[in-house]
Amino acid sequence: MTSETVLKNEGLQLLTKHLGMVEAERFIALMAREPFDYTEWRRDKFDDVSLEELSAAAMKHVSAKRNM
């Protein structure tokens, strides 16, 4: 299991890479000030999605990013 420090660093690196520094900071501020229930969000968005469908969508997303 990854330590919390490593997880925070990797998360910030990913946010910064994909959003840029300013948008990454805005995202963090947004998450910190608004109540957010990840479990409820996941159920609302993905409860009807099979593991196979989710995997296929993730692979399609990664493939599209590589071809940019």
Side-chain angles (χ1 to χ4, degrees), residues 18-48:
H18 292 282
L19 298 176
M21 182 60 76
V22 172
E23 294 299 314
E25 288 187 23
R26 285 185 62 214
F27 176 78
I28 292 168
L30 174 68
M31 297 307 290
R33 93 173 154 250
E34 290 188 14
F36 179 74
D37 184 338
Y38 170 78
T39 302
E40 181 179 328
W41 172 82
R42 182 187 48 78
R43 284 184 187 137
D44 288 345
K45 297 292 182 188
F46 303 108
D47 218 24
D48 296 332

Side-chain angles (χ1 to χ4, degrees), residues 2-68:
T2 304
S3 74
E4 290 182 1
T5 301
V6 171
L7 184 60
K8 287 181 207 176
N9 286 336
E10 289 179 358
L12 186 55
Q13 287 175 1
L14 286 169
L15 285 172
T16 303
K17 178 181 176 183
H18 292 282
L19 298 176
M21 182 60 76
V22 172
E23 294 299 314
E25 288 187 23
R26 285 185 62 214
F27 176 78
I28 292 168
L30 174 68
M31 297 307 290
R33 93 173 154 250
E34 290 188 14
F36 179 74
D37 184 338
Y38 170 78
T39 302
E40 181 179 328
W41 172 82
R42 182 187 48 78
R43 284 184 187 137
D44 288 345
K45 297 292 182 188
F46 303 108
D47 218 24
D48 296 332
V49 179
S50 72
L51 181 59
E52 290 79 15
E53 292 171 313
L54 187 58
S55 176
M59 291 186 334
K60 181 179 177 181
H61 177 75
V62 168
S63 179
K65 288 285 190 179
R66 287 183 181 154
N67 294 328
M68 291 180 105

